[in-house]
Amino acid sequence: MTGHDHEPGPGHHGHEHGDGHGHEHEHEHGEHGHSHAHPHGGVRGFLYDLFVPHTHDSADSIDDAMEASSAGVRALQVSMTVLLATTVLQAVIVAFTGSIALLADTIHNFADALTAVPLWIAFVLGRRAANRRYTYGYGRAEDLAGMFNVFVVALSAVVAGWQAVDRFVDPRPIENPWLLVAAGLIGFAGNEAVAIYRIRVGQRIGSAALVADGVHARLDGFTSLSVVLGAVGVLLGFPIADPIIGLLISVSIMVLLWGTVKSIGARLMDAIDPALVSRAQHALEHTTGVERVRDVRLRWVGHRLTGSATVEVAVDALHDAEHIADHAAEHVHETMGNIDEFTVTPAVHAHAPLGGSAR
């Protein structure tokens, strides 16, 4: 791509070229209008951003597929270590208090640490090369792991709700409530640290599954806070506060989890951020020799993109058309860092289309 001097092609008069390739690349998301109907402002917008963070469908953060996968695995390793350490600290306090609620939260955090395993396996699988059976590779294992973790979160919410109802029916005395406050804060701090880390890395590499796992940890952190609030209620002479708060959190988890389900489901249905399509189309339109762009398609395979497009070219020779197609595909790669393959097919007047691609 470098070293080419481009003359404005037909249909591109008056463009200012901001790089050495005859393109004016738009790398900032703000230059492409997002069509997401996310609530903004107020309590609803705050809760949405907190529990249903957008992956941003980042396309220019990490270019190398192996580097992106390694970042995902590293995030899972670190977060699993933090959650296991949190579990050990809570288990020590359980031994001193005999709290059933804290024991349940401790077991829950241990199970959450283990949910990193299927996503870890998915990241490792995603590194395997495509073959004749899995022609797009194994990247979709990541989304399947995300759906599995959604199921685990939903199951934990049901269990928490059942425990809260059981507490109404069969109240249990809580010993050493101040220790429970400490244990709940430990659980919240550990889960929130993991949530921030997973969500940031997931957004950076474009992994909806890792973001969903971060949301999972955040929800669990607020579940741990219920132990704190319940202990405060006991200290204030209102022991029924514990099951009430536990039940409310269980219901909230189920409601807010729907946003995560939609995010993972959209990936499985090949939904794509329209801004990414606009970015790819912009790169194609500003390739010398391209007159018109049509049929731009993109899809996520795990946290990597692949796609194709058809372009009408301003030449008659098939060799020249093929060169333009290859050049256009390379320009898409320059604009969108984490796209693994983008195939451009040129339409040359009455001739049959000829494909060009770049990896």
Side-chain angles (χ1 to χ4, degrees), residues 322-338:
E322 185 178 33
H323 176 73
I324 292 173
D326 287 336
H327 207 178
E330 290 173 4
H331 283 168
V332 173
H333 274 278
E334 289 183 350
T335 304
M336 308 173 71
N338 66 348

Side-chain angles (χ1 to χ4, degrees), residues 51-65:
F51 294 107
V52 194
H54 182 38
T55 61
H56 299 309
D57 282 347
S58 57
D60 51 4
S61 297
I62 296 182
D63 292 358
D64 184 75

Side-chain angles (χ1 to χ4, degrees), residues 201-251:
V201 174
Q203 290 176 331
R204 189 160 60 93
I205 69 175
S207 173
L210 190 55
V211 170
D213 217 30
V215 173
H216 181 177
R218 174 158 288 161
L219 291 169
D220 293 338
F222 281 88
T223 300
S224 295
L225 276 186
S226 69
V227 176
V228 176
L229 296 177
V232 170
V234 172
L235 289 170
L236 296 177
F238 189 55
I240 201 174
D242 182 55
I244 290 176
I245 292 170
L247 189 59
L248 289 176
I249 288 181
S250 178
V251 173

Side-chain angles (χ1 to χ4, degrees), residues 125-162:
L125 275 177
R127 296 175 178 176
R128 297 180 63 179
N131 53 47
R132 291 180 65 84
R133 185 173 182 84
Y134 296 95
T135 55
Y136 280 97
Y138 294 81
R140 283 292 173 87
E142 187 179 321
D143 296 321
L144 292 177
M147 289 301 292
F148 173 79
N149 286 344
V150 164
F151 171 75
V152 172
V153 175
L155 181 61
S156 67
V158 171
V159 171
W162 175 80

Side-chain angles (χ1 to χ4, degrees), residues 30 74 80 100 104 116 151 154 166 173 178 205 215 257 295 323 354:
R74 185 165 55 252
M80 186 168 67
I100 298 298
F151 171 75
D166 183 65
W178 285 112
I205 69 175
V215 173
L257 191 62
D295 300 329
H323 176 73
L354 180 65

Side-chain angles (χ1 to χ4, degrees), residues 302-356:
H303 54 274
R304 306 294 296 179
L305 283 166
T306 186
S308 64
T310 300
V311 298
E312 295 180 4
V313 296
V315 295
D316 293 321
L318 292 179
H319 174 76
D320 292 339
E322 185 178 33
H323 176 73
I324 292 173
D326 287 336
H327 207 178
E330 290 173 4
H331 283 168
V332 173
H333 274 278
E334 289 183 350
T335 304
M336 308 173 71
N338 66 348
I339 191 166
D340 281 341
E341 183 174 352
F342 193 84
T343 301
V344 179
T345 302
V348 186
H349 299 289
H351 296 289
L354 180 65

Side-chain angles (χ1 to χ4, degrees), residues 29-269:
H29 286 285
E31 296 180 26
H32 302 281
H34 286 275
S35 62
H36 302 286
H38 295 172
H40 297 286
V43 176
R44 185 185 176 198
F46 171 76
L47 290 176
Y48 194 98
D49 291 338
L50 191 66
F51 294 107
V52 194
H54 182 38
T55 61
H56 299 309
D57 282 347
S58 57
D60 51 4
S61 297
I62 296 182
D63 292 358
D64 184 75
M66 189 66 71
E67 182 185 350
S69 295
S70 297
V73 170
R74 185 165 55 252
L76 292 170
Q77 291 172 332
V78 171
S79 59
M80 186 168 67
T81 301
V82 172
L83 284 178
L84 287 175
T86 300
T87 299
V88 171
L89 290 174
Q90 286 188 313
V92 171
I93 297 177
V94 167
F96 284 97
T97 63
S99 169
I100 298 298
L102 182 57
L103 177 61
D105 190 50
T106 303
I107 294 173
H108 184 61
N109 282 330
F110 177 69
D112 292 342
L114 296 183
T115 61
V117 174
L119 195 52
W120 187 345
I121 293 173
F123 274 112
V124 174
L125 275 177
R127 296 175 178 176
R128 297 180 63 179
N131 53 47
R132 291 180 65 84
R133 185 173 182 84
Y134 296 95
T135 55
Y136 280 97
Y138 294 81
R140 283 292 173 87
E142 187 179 321
D143 296 321
L144 292 177
M147 289 301 292
F148 173 79
N149 286 344
V150 164
F151 171 75
V152 172
V153 175
L155 181 61
S156 67
V158 171
V159 171
W162 175 80
Q163 291 175 339
V165 172
D166 183 65
R167 192 77 54 86
F168 279 114
V169 177
D170 184 19
R172 301 179 182 88
I174 298 177
E175 301 176 4
N176 302 315
W178 285 112
L179 283 178
L180 291 183
V181 171
L185 291 176
I186 289 172
F188 173 76
N191 277 289
E192 182 60 20
V194 166
I196 292 173
Y197 187 42
R198 285 179 177 175
I199 290 172
R200 284 182 178 175
V201 174
Q203 290 176 331
R204 189 160 60 93
I205 69 175
S207 173
L210 190 55
V211 170
D213 217 30
V215 173
H216 181 177
R218 174 158 288 161
L219 291 169
D220 293 338
F222 281 88
T223 300
S224 295
L225 276 186
S226 69
V227 176
V228 176
L229 296 177
V232 170
V234 172
L235 289 170
L236 296 177
F238 189 55
I240 201 174
D242 182 55
I244 290 176
I245 292 170
L247 189 59
L248 289 176
I249 288 181
S250 178
V251 173
S252 299
I253 288 175
M254 295 299 291
V255 172
L256 294 169
L257 191 62
W258 177 241
T260 303
V261 172
K262 289 194 296 184
S263 177
I264 299 292
R267 284 291 180 91
L268 291 173
M269 290 294 294

